[in-house]
Structures are given as structure tokens and as C-alpha cells.
């Protein structure tokens, strides 16, 4: 460094010599590779246009078109990335060898600096090499980082410290997104050049999208039909779907936990969390009720019957894990229904919509109970064993709930002696029971009168 200030001429000569030794053969090979890549990209563009034309004319099937386009896209993405690397390396070498005096000017400019800026780092540093982490004998983790200055390319300054892959992964993601964007733009330009106008190119793209959607729809319909006909296949498809959903949910959960942890110290992460929450609230408000045709409902009911049949068979075979899962689901479903009813009861006196929803729910529940009652009575009439089972079940239900009501009443009586609120509740409960008893007596009298008249 001192040599640069004491003898600028000799320092510049040394720099030119080092640059020539380092970049001589290397950049000849890089320029040759860059030329090959450019030729290959032109060839891939011609091949892509040919695929579009063959697909639209019907010579090439949609499936074959998609597979070949994926291969071309992957190769073009790889070539575009390598092309950007080579161009950057060549530009940097040309800049280094073209004006060595600028390095002397940079050293003079930053000689008396009091702090480091991004501009200074970009100007002075050529590259940074991060080596693999190592665990020492004392159990501490260390990692070597070599910093190569632009004016001393083969003389690294080594430091030791930790490293993280978050910034590298983020940069790679942005780089891949930029390459994908350029590829899409290039494919669009090639297609416009092939057909002659933007309108025709857009029409061709929309036609390809439409045919893909039709193909996907037909495939889904074939899968649904096979699931209706083949129980084993339906079970396997449902298992795969659950596994995919589980993996996706687990991945989102881990990402969310990481984001929440970073939000404690990172304001950007906190802003991202708030943005996600606002987006979720907006989606919930915009969500529209699903409208299904009778045919769709019939298909869904048939698929649900198949799933229930498979579950019942497994439960009969003693699948304890499925039995426990089913019991937990039923308890959760009952609790959610109970909480919703209580919420509607609280809102009904002041909210007409809540009152209407509560009335609809009670009417639906009443109709369901009547259907179940009629179904049970019909089976009891022809199956003595089932009739005995229902009788014992009803007795156990009455015993359990009578004991529960009695225990609750005793507790309420004890609390009513010292708690005015409990005393008021006890009074209301007794009035309610008296009213029930009066209505029951009137109903019995009416039934007796009707029997005598008949």
C-alpha cells in the first residue's frame, strides 16, 4: 500500500503485469464460451418458435409440447445465468486492465476515511470467498473468509467469523426471478417475430392456455370417475392429498415461526407479518359462499360416502389411531357448534341477522333429529337386538344427564346462600322448571281428553 503512494509508476506497472497474468488465457476461454452460449440461445429461440407452430397446427401434442418447452426453458435459464456471469467477468477484466490509475485515485480518496460505506466496498473489493465452517477442538465453530481487493487480486485478507445463507438465498431467488422474467420476455418477442403481430401472438398464447386448462379439466374428471369406481384408488389419492397438505402446512408453519422470531429484532419482518395479516383479513372478507349444482352435491356426497365406508371398515378392524382421531374430531365439531350457538344466543336479542341464523339452525337441527328418530324407530321395529341397545343407551343417557343436572343444582343451591347472582339464577331455573311442569301436565290432559273422545 505504501509502495502505491511512494512510486505510482512502478505500482501501475506491477498491477498491469498481475492483471495480464491472471486474465490472459482465462478471458480468451471465457469469450469463446460466451460466443457458444449466444449461438445456442439463438438456436433455442428458433426451436421454441418451431414448437409453437407445430403445436398450433396439431403436429405436436400438448403433452409433448409442454415437456419439450420445460427442457428448453431449463437450458435457456442455465445459459442465461452463465452468460451474465461471463459478461460480468469480462467487463470487470476490461475495466481493470484499461485504467490502472483509477486504483491509485481510489486509494488516495479513501486513505483518510473515518468509516466504511457501500460505495467504498464496491470500488475496492474484487470478490469474497467464504470457506466451509469448521469445529475446533474446544467445540467452537469457526469459518474463514478471504477478501480479495480489486487492485491486489491474488493477495487475500483472511478473517474468521460466522456466516449465514439467508442473504445468499435471497439474492439467488431474485437472480432466478430476473432470469425467468427475461426468458418470458424473450419468448414473447420470438413469438411476435414468428407470427408478425402482437395480437396474433397473444391469441396463440391464450389458445395454448385454454387447451392446457381443458386438458387439466379432463384429467381431473378421469381421476374423479376412477375414485368413484375404485375404493382403493380413492383411498390412495386421498392419502397423497393429505400428505401434500400436511407438508405444505408444515412448511408454512416453519416459515411463519421463523418470520415471527425475526420480527422481534427486524422491522422489515414485522412489516411483512402485518402485510400478511392484512391480506388474510381481506381474503376472509371477500370470500363468497360456494354455489354448487345438484350434480356437484351428488358427486361430493358419493365421495363422502366412500370415505366414511373406508373409515368405518378400518374402525371395525380395530384401527385405534383412526378411532381416537375420529373421537377427537367429533368432540371438536360438537364444541365448535356449541360455541357458535351460544354466540348466536347472545347476539339474537339485538342482532336480527343472528336471530335469523339461530332460527334456521334450530329448524335444521329439528328436522335432522326427526329424520334420525324415524330411522331409529323403523329399525327398532324389525331388529330386537338393536331395540335393546337403544333402550340401554337411552337409560344410560338419562342416568348420566340426570346426575349431572342434580350435581349442578346442588352446587347452585350452595352458592345461592352467599352469592346473589347464584340466587337469581336459582330462582330463574325453578321458575323455568315450574313452567315446563305446567306445560307437560296440560299436554297430558289434552292427550287423555282426545283418547276419551276417540
Amino acid at each position: 500500500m505504501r509502495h502505491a503512494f511512494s512510486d505510482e509508476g512502478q505500482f501501475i506497472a506491477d498491477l498491469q503485469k498481475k492483471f495480464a497474468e491472471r486474465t490472459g488465457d482465462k478471458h480468451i476461454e471465457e469469450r469463446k464460451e460466451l460466443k457458444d452460449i449466444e449461438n445456442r440461445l439463438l438456436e433455442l429461440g428458433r426451436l421454441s418458435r418451431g414448437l409453437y407452430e407445430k403445436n398450433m397446427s396439431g403436429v405436436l401434442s400438448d403433452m409433448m409440447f409442454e415437456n419439450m418447452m420445460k427442457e428448453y426453458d431449463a437450458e435457456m435459464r442455465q445459459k442465461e445465468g452463465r452468460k451474465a456471469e461471463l459478461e460480468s467477468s469480462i467487463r470487470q477484466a476490461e475495466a481493470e486492465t484499461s485504467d490502472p490509475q483509477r486504483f491509485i485515485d481510489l486509494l488516495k480518496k479513501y486513505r483518510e476515511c473515518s468509516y466504511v460505506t457501500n460505495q467504498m466496498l464496491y470500488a475496492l473489493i474484487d470478490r469474497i470467498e467464504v470457506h466451509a465452517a469448521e469445529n475446533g477442538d474446544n467445540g467452537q465453530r469457526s469459518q474463514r473468509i478471504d477478501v480479495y481487493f480489486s487492485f491486489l487480486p491474488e493477495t487475500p485478507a483472511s478473517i474468521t467469523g460466522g456466516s449465514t445463507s439467508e442473504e445468499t438465498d435471497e439474492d439467488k431467488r431474485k437472480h432466478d426471478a430476473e432470469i425467468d422474467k427475461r426468458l418470458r420476455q424473450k419468448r414473447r418477442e420470438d413469438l411476435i417475430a414468428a407470427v408478425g403481430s402482437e395480437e396474433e401472438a397473444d391469441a396463440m398464447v391464450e389458445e395454448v392456455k385454454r387447451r392446457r386448462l381443458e386438458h387439466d379439466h379432463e384429467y381431473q374428471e378421469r381421476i374423479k370417475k376412477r375414485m368413484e369406481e375404485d375404493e382403493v384408488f380413492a383411498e390412495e389419492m386421498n392419502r397423497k392429498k393429505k400428505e401434500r397438505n400436511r407438508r405444505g402446512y408444515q412448511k408454512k408453519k416453519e416459515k411463519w415461526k421463523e418470520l415471527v422470531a425475526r420480527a422481534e429484532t427486524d422491522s422489515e419482518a414485522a412489516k411483512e407479518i402485518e402485510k400478511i395479516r392484512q391480506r388474510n383479513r381481506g381474503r376472509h372478507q371477500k370470500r363468497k359462499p360456494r354455489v354448487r349444482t345438484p350434480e356437484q352435491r351428488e358427486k361430493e356426497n358419493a365421495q363422502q360416502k366412500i370415505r366414511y365406508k373406508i373409515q368405518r371398515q378400518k374402525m371395525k378392524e380395530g384401527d385405534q389411531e383412526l378411532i381416537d382421531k375420529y373421537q377427537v374430531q367429533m368432540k371438536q365439531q360438537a364444541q365448535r357448534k356449541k360455541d357458535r350457538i351460544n354466540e348466536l344466543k347472545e347476539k339474537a336479542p339485538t342482532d336480527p341477522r343472528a336471530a335469523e341464523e339461530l332460527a334456521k339452525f334450530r329448524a335444521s337441527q329439528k328436522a335432522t333429529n326427526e329424520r334420525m328418530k324415524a330411522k331409529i324407530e323403523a329399525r327398532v321395529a324389525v331388529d330386537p337386538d338393536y331395540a335393546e341397545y337403544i333402550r340401554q343407551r337411552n337409560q344410560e343417557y338419562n342416568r348420566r344427564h340426570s346426575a349431572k343436572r342434580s350435581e349442578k343444582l346442588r352446587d347452585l343451591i350452595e352458592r345461592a346462600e352467599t352469592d346473589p347472582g347464584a340466587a337469581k339464577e336459582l330462582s330463574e331455573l325453578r321458575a323455568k322448571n315450574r313452567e315446563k311442569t305446567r306445560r307437560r301436565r296440560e299436554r297430558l290432559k289434552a292427550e287423555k281428553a282426545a283418547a276419551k273422545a276417540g
Side-chain angles (χ1 to χ4, degrees):
M1 201 72 72
R2 295 176 182 175
H3 172 59
F5 296 114
S6 61
D7 190 352
E8 294 184 8
Q10 185 62 37
F11 182 72
I12 291 174
D14 293 341
L15 282 180
Q16 289 177 334
K17 183 179 179 181
K18 287 184 178 181
F19 291 148
E21 292 175 354
R22 187 184 67 169
T23 63
D25 297 335
K26 175 183 176 182
H27 286 93
I28 292 176
E29 296 177 357
E30 288 182 346
R31 290 179 185 279
K32 183 177 181 299
E33 184 180 356
L34 179 61
K35 183 65 175 177
D36 295 339
I37 289 176
E38 291 175 347
N39 292 335
R40 179 56 180 167
L41 287 174
L42 292 175
E43 183 181 359
L44 289 174
R46 291 193 296 270
L47 293 174
S48 299
R49 292 194 297 270
L51 287 180
Y52 273 111
E53 295 172 357
K54 291 180 180 179
N55 180 252
M56 294 305 299
S57 62
V59 176
L60 191 66
S61 65
D62 291 343
M63 184 176 296
M64 184 63 70
F65 170 76
E66 293 176 3
N67 293 335
M68 296 182 71
M69 281 301 298
K70 287 180 181 179
E71 294 178 2
Y72 288 166
D73 288 345
E75 185 177 357
M76 290 177 72
R77 190 179 295 109
Q78 188 268 339
K79 295 294 185 184
E80 287 284 352
R82 180 56 180 163
K83 178 183 177 182
E85 294 176 1
L86 292 173
E87 290 177 344
S88 175
S89 177
I90 293 173
R91 283 195 303 268
Q92 183 179 359
E94 291 175 349
E96 290 174 348
T97 55
S98 61
D99 189 10
Q101 181 61 39
R102 73 183 184 89
F103 299 113
I104 300 296
D105 297 337
L106 289 174
L107 291 177
K108 289 180 179 180
K109 179 179 178 180
Y110 299 122
R111 183 178 184 181
E112 303 296 335
C113 65
S114 58
Y115 59 91
V116 179
T117 63
N118 290 337
Q119 183 180 3
M120 186 189 306
L121 293 176
Y122 296 147
L124 297 177
I125 294 178
D126 174 69
R127 69 183 186 279
I128 298 176
E129 295 182 358
V130 181
H131 297 264
E134 297 179 354
N135 293 323
D137 297 335
N138 56 359
Q140 293 183 350
R141 181 177 179 271
S142 62
Q143 192 167 19
R144 196 184 80 181
I145 300 175
D146 292 339
V147 180
Y148 290 82
F149 293 98
S150 57
F151 52 88
L152 295 173
E154 299 303 329
T155 309
S158 299
I159 58 176
T160 303
S163 65
T164 176
S165 62
E166 292 182 1
E167 295 181 357
T168 303
D169 293 341
E170 181 66 17
D171 293 341
K172 184 177 183 301
R173 185 187 65 79
K174 292 181 179 179
H175 179 67
D176 292 343
E178 183 64 24
I179 291 178
D180 290 339
K181 183 179 179 180
R182 289 203 301 267
L183 285 175
R184 289 194 298 270
Q185 184 64 26
K186 183 174 179 57
R187 286 199 300 267
R188 177 175 171 78
E189 293 174 356
D190 293 342
L191 184 59
I192 292 173
V195 299
S197 65
E198 294 186 4
E199 292 76 9
E200 294 183 7
D202 294 338
M204 290 179 65
V205 172
E206 291 299 326
E207 178 65 18
V208 171
K209 289 182 179 179
R210 186 188 65 78
R211 293 172 65 177
R212 287 180 181 176
L213 289 175
E214 290 180 354
H215 178 269
D216 293 341
H217 180 71
E218 292 175 358
Y219 174 77
Q220 293 296 333
E221 289 296 325
R222 290 198 301 270
I223 293 296
K224 289 180 180 179
K225 184 177 180 180
R226 185 177 174 186
M227 288 177 66
E228 294 173 358
E229 298 173 351
D230 190 344
E231 295 181 1
V232 177
F233 179 75
E235 181 181 0
E236 180 65 17
M237 293 297 293
N238 290 328
R239 184 191 65 78
K240 290 182 178 180
K241 182 178 179 181
K242 290 180 180 179
E243 182 63 21
R244 288 196 303 271
N245 294 339
R246 185 192 65 78
R247 289 198 302 267
Y249 172 76
Q250 188 66 25
K251 187 176 180 180
K252 289 182 180 179
K253 187 176 180 181
E254 292 175 357
K255 185 178 180 180
W256 178 258
K257 286 183 178 179
E258 180 183 356
L259 190 62
V260 171
R262 287 197 293 113
E264 298 178 357
T265 56
D266 187 357
S267 59
E268 294 297 329
K271 291 180 181 178
E272 186 175 354
I273 287 178
E274 183 60 26
K275 185 177 179 181
I276 292 173
R277 287 173 174 168
Q278 290 180 358
R279 184 172 67 246
N280 291 340
R281 286 194 290 267
R283 288 175 179 175
H284 181 73
Q285 293 173 358
K286 294 179 181 179
R287 187 177 299 168
K288 297 181 180 180
R290 183 182 177 188
V291 179
R292 295 172 296 176
T293 63
E295 292 78 9
Q296 290 175 337
R297 285 197 295 269
E298 185 178 354
K299 285 184 178 181
E300 291 178 1
N301 292 335
Q303 293 175 0
Q304 190 175 18
K305 287 181 180 180
I306 293 174
R307 291 195 296 269
Y308 286 166
K309 185 177 181 180
I310 295 172
Q311 289 180 356
R312 286 196 298 270
Q313 184 63 30
K314 286 187 175 181
M315 291 171 67
K316 287 181 180 179
E317 294 173 357
D319 191 340
Q320 190 61 38
E321 181 180 357
L322 185 60
I323 294 173
D324 296 339
K325 182 179 179 180
Y326 177 77
Q327 292 177 350
V328 170
Q329 289 177 350
M330 291 298 101
K331 289 181 181 179
Q332 292 176 348
Q333 183 179 355
Q335 187 62 39
R336 286 195 298 268
K337 186 183 293 184
K338 185 177 179 181
D339 294 341
R340 181 57 180 168
I341 293 173
N342 293 334
E343 181 182 357
L344 292 174
K345 286 181 179 179
E346 293 177 359
K347 294 181 179 180
T350 58
D351 188 353
R353 294 182 62 182
E356 182 181 358
E357 184 177 353
L358 181 62
K360 288 181 179 180
F361 176 81
R362 285 174 172 171
S364 174
Q365 191 67 27
K366 182 178 179 181
T368 302
N369 293 338
E370 290 177 354
R371 288 196 302 270
M372 290 296 297
K373 183 178 179 180
K375 186 176 180 180
I376 290 174
E377 289 177 351
R379 185 174 176 183
V380 165
V382 297
D383 190 345
D385 295 336
Y386 183 73
E388 179 63 20
Y389 163 74
I390 292 297
R391 186 186 66 79
Q392 294 179 2
R393 191 186 69 173
N394 291 340
Q395 286 181 352
E396 177 61 23
Y397 175 85
N398 295 334
R399 183 195 64 76
R400 188 171 64 252
H401 283 265
S402 296
K404 186 177 180 180
R405 286 195 296 269
S406 299
E407 183 179 356
K408 183 178 179 180
L409 180 61
R410 286 195 298 269
D411 179 66
L412 188 61
I413 292 173
E414 292 178 1
R415 289 191 293 110
E417 296 177 358
T418 57
D419 186 359
K424 182 179 178 180
E425 184 179 354
L426 178 62
S427 177
E428 293 175 353
L429 179 62
R430 285 173 172 171
K432 184 178 179 180
N433 290 336
R434 286 194 296 270
E435 180 63 22
K436 286 182 179 180
T437 302
R438 184 186 64 78
R439 290 199 302 267
R440 185 166 60 250
R441 287 176 178 174
E442 290 179 356
R443 187 173 66 252
L444 291 174
K445 288 180 180 179
E447 290 178 354
K448 288 183 180 179
K452 288 181 180 179

